[in-house]
Amino acid sequence: MAATRGDRMTTTGPRRRLGVAATALAGVVALAGSLLTATAVSAAPATATSATSAASAATSATTGAVASDAGGIAPGTRTPTLSWGPCGTGLEAFRCTTAEVPTDYDRPRGATTTLALIKLPASGPGARIGSLFTNPGGPGGSGVDFVTAAPQLYTAALRARYDIIGFDPRGVVRSDPATCFATAQEEASSPLLRLAYPLTRPEGRTFVKEAVAFAKQCTSTSPDRFRHASTANVARDLELLRRAVGDDKLTYAGYSYGTFLGATYARLFPDRVGRFVLDGTVDPKAWSGTGRGDAAQWVPFGIRTRQGVGAWETFREFAKQCKAAGPARCSLAGLGDPLTVATRTFDRLATSPVTIETPSGPVVIDQQVAVLLSFQALYDPASWRDLADTLAALSVSTPSPARVAAAVAGTTTTVGERVRGEAADERGEDYASAGGNLASVCVDARRSGLLGSYPAIADAYDRTAPYFGRFRLWTGAICERWGLTDTDAFLGPWAQTTKAKVLVIGTRFDPATPYSQTRPYAGLWPDADVLTVQGYGHTALGKSTCADDAVTRYLLTGRTGGADRTCRQDVAPFAAPADGARTAPREPVRVSPRWLGL
């Protein structure tokens, strides 16, 4: 549903934009996707008042001319006034508002962007410490949706002492969304969304053409919103929000892409960094293309993120754990070696896809859809049994459509007719667009210039990271021919100067932000303690009581518990939970555009 600029906004529930070859199974789950279903949220309008003093100066290198003041925020920039009001039925515990921030920080008194915010007020007992700002990843994840799940994601002790605040970053969902078409229906019918990702070289050449057309469509429909959507500008927005709530330092929890936002904020405002929890780390050198080796600019973005390698490593661990669990707990183990059965299934589906009938019509499950589904399920070990059941149903030479449908029940959707959207002469409606996922990454990440070679690169990368490497390579395709830049984007250097102690968390088998990035990321900070979670899935949030308690202690006291601590997850994959054992919240999943998933 479109966000509105007045005193009412609406949360957006699951949006499944997929084609015949890319059903709602296909897509990748951003951390922000594991959220509550749609709920009406109202917000009191915010107005701007006089500014507070600028934050401390930070030396930064940017892509263009940024105001030379603290972090690119000029003295006298107005600090928003946050007029918190009711959020609507079902969210009585929360408060909502909007904030006006400069669209272009080089013109702080010019046009503004409206940000949507939500707050879970500190419940007590105990003195309120301040505000905990959050970012759930994506990019393009809704911070408003994320915080509606805060009672399940954060401990009671933490919720007692902090207001937990989420906001939709500029260009995302309710915050002046950067849309790619005049209407959501046109976007859902776009040709690029009809193909999960290309498998053959001819498909790859077609995908390249469609990616170029999609980029042109986005930048024609919402040029001003995309032009100012860099993570650096989101960080500047975050700084104004910190000022607006009156906190002397920013207390922050960032997950996945949210760790890139945290690193950007700290480079721009090092003296305002308070207690930072950074879980599921993104390598900022690789993201921006300013590193060496596989983090260099000339390497495609989809390889620089290392998700193909991380997903393949995690998938092999999925198969290993399945084999150890045995047929009684993992159906795939009853058919032979799970990894062998799964890869043979992927290979057969490349030439012999399975068509299943659903209430919404026929759905084709080919190799791409099976790989996408697997990648999605790897995010949460609680989904691994379901993944095993699905692969088992698909594994036989002539799969039963009824059995496959039962294994994936409730996850498919209909698709609109194939309609090529034309560039809009002017903006149409506001809606939760794929543009929200593309908005920052396409101006933050340097382009390799190799789009025409992607089909050949995909074949090579498939040998390094089978199946998942080919899939993840294509995540940067749309950005390769992006016609807009944000001159205020920050591209490094990434060595931090803040004196604050931060807590960095990595999960040993994380498909989206591989554990190998955890310690190099921590090494960018002068004082960072690393917490390793011996477990599986994307980020540690909600999966380990030990890790949750460590986060709570750090945010309440500033103490991390040690420079190199290890925690375990509460429940192992395929294991029957013990009586009383806490499991991760199983909320409805929002399927996000397939090219991202951080």
Side-chain angles (χ1 to χ4, degrees):
M1 182 175 292
T4 60
R5 192 173 282 232
D7 61 357
R8 183 107 181 142
M9 62 181 178
T10 305
T11 61
T12 303
R15 294 188 66 251
R16 293 174 175 175
R17 310 180 292 268
L18 299 157
V20 172
T23 69
L25 302 173
V28 295
V29 178
L31 177 62
S34 299
L35 298 169
L36 304 181
T37 52
T39 309
V41 179
S42 63
T47 58
T49 60
S50 60
T52 60
S53 59
S56 301
T59 301
S60 63
T62 64
T63 58
V66 179
S68 60
D69 309 288
I73 296 181
T77 301
R78 294 182 178 129
T79 297
T81 294
L82 303 181
S83 301
W84 298 98
C87 291
T89 303
L91 294 175
E92 287 80 7
F94 300 86
R95 306 291 286 173
C96 289
T97 192
T98 57
E100 297 296 324
V101 297
T103 298
D104 182 354
Y105 277 91
D106 292 327
R107 297 174 177 80
R109 298 289 180 142
T112 63
T113 292
T114 303
L115 304 180
L117 294 92
I118 191 171
K119 172 174 68 174
L120 179 63
S123 60
R128 175 183 172 277
I129 295 175
S131 301
L132 172 62
F133 283 89
T134 62
N135 180 276
S142 167
V144 172
D145 288 345
F146 178 76
V147 167
T148 64
Q152 292 79 46
L153 298 176
Y154 294 108
T155 65
L158 181 60
R159 289 183 278 113
R161 306 288 300 281
Y162 278 98
D163 295 338
I164 299 177
I165 297 178
F167 69 102
D168 288 356
R170 57 172 59 208
V172 173
V173 188
R174 307 168 192 82
S175 295
D176 288 359
T179 54
C180 291
F181 292 81
T183 67
Q185 182 179 8
E186 288 184 32
E187 180 171 313
S189 301
S190 64
L192 192 72
L193 298 181
R194 303 276 302 190
L195 180 65
Y197 63 92
L199 193 60
T200 66
R201 289 200 180 188
E203 284 181 347
R205 290 190 288 271
T206 298
F207 196 93
V208 165
K209 294 177 182 178
E210 297 290 5
V212 172
F214 198 94
K216 183 178 180 181
Q217 179 70 54
C218 294
T219 55
S220 298
T221 302
S222 299
D224 289 339
R225 294 185 180 184
F226 283 113
R227 188 176 286 114
H228 301 290
S230 64
T231 299
N233 277 339
V234 176
R236 293 175 182 114
D237 296 341
L238 187 53
E239 168 60 9
L240 289 188
L241 297 177
R242 177 201 65 79
R243 300 180 191 182
V245 300
D247 288 356
D248 183 58
K249 304 278 188 179
L250 178 70
T251 304
Y252 175 73
Y255 304 92
S256 196
Y257 161 80
T259 68
F260 181 75
L261 173 58
T264 303
Y265 178 92
R267 284 296 290 123
L268 298 178
F269 308 101
D271 292 343
R272 293 300 181 183
V273 175
R275 296 168 186 171
F276 270 36
V277 175
L278 303 157
D279 183 358
T281 56
V282 169
D283 179 351
K285 295 180 181 179
W287 186 276
S288 57
T290 55
R292 298 180 179 180
D294 68 353
Q297 177 182 349
W298 54 266
V299 178
F301 176 80
I303 295 178
R304 297 202 308 253
T305 63
R306 307 184 180 104
Q307 286 191 333
V309 173
W312 176 239
E313 180 187 34
T314 305
F315 189 75
R316 286 186 299 172
E317 187 64 17
F318 154 80
K320 177 181 176 181
Q321 294 294 323
C322 173
K323 185 175 183 178
R329 291 182 176 175
C330 180
S331 57
L332 197 61
L335 303 175
D337 176 72
L339 184 61
T340 300
V341 174
T343 55
R344 285 177 178 171
T345 300
F346 288 157
D347 291 343
R348 194 186 67 256
L349 289 172
T351 56
S352 301
V354 176
T355 300
I356 61 174
E357 293 295 332
T358 74
S360 303
V363 171
V364 176
I365 300 181
D366 54 13
Q367 183 185 109
Q368 294 100 307
V369 170
V371 170
L372 285 160
L373 172 60
S374 299
F375 182 75
Q376 171 180 326
L378 293 177
Y379 271 54
D380 182 0
S383 300
W384 286 15
R385 278 197 183 195
D386 294 337
L387 174 60
D389 290 344
T390 300
L391 293 176
L394 291 166
S395 67
V396 297
S397 57
T398 307
S400 163
R403 186 183 174 200
V404 173
V408 297
T411 61
T412 56
T413 188
T414 56
V415 182
E417 294 298 319
R418 182 184 176 99
V419 177
R420 181 179 299 275
E422 299 298 331
D425 293 330
E426 58 184 30
R427 281 190 47 76
E429 66 184 30
D430 278 353
Y431 62 93
S433 170
N437 301 83
L438 297 167
S440 60
V441 67
C442 285
V443 295
D444 287 335
R446 291 181 173 176
R447 300 151 202 171
S448 71
L450 298 174
L451 181 60
S453 300
Y454 267 41
I457 294 171
D459 289 343
Y461 194 36
D462 185 65
R463 292 190 288 272
T464 299
Y467 309 105
F468 298 96
R470 183 185 302 278
F471 162 38
R472 301 316 289 158
L473 164 70
W474 291 94
T475 59
I478 294 175
C479 295
E480 288 282 2
R481 301 286 175 84
W482 203 251
L484 299 175
T485 59
D486 184 345
T487 57
D488 288 344
F490 180 86
L491 298 181
W494 292 105
Q496 301 291 339
T497 61
T498 181
K499 296 179 181 179
K501 176 183 284 293
V502 302
L503 177 61
V504 175
I505 304 175
T507 300
R508 179 61 188 86
F509 293 98
D510 185 325
T513 49
Y515 181 74
S516 60
Q517 298 182 155
T518 305
R519 295 187 187 279
Y521 179 91
L524 297 172
W525 302 77
D527 191 3
D529 285 350
V530 173
L531 172 63
T532 297
V533 175
Q534 292 292 347
Y536 320 88
H538 186 35
T539 80
L541 185 65
K543 300 182 181 74
S544 167
T545 299
C546 170
D548 291 348
D549 289 346
V551 168
T552 298
R553 179 176 56 252
Y554 167 68
L555 291 175
L556 295 183
T557 69
R559 297 191 297 272
T560 64
D564 195 8
R565 187 178 175 190
T566 298
C567 284
R568 291 192 177 276
Q569 286 183 353
D570 294 347
V571 180
F574 305 111
D579 290 341
R582 188 178 69 96
T583 59
R586 299 293 303 276
E587 304 292 353
V589 169
R590 178 177 70 85
V591 179
S592 10
R594 66 194 167 280
W595 47 79
L596 297 172
L598 294 169

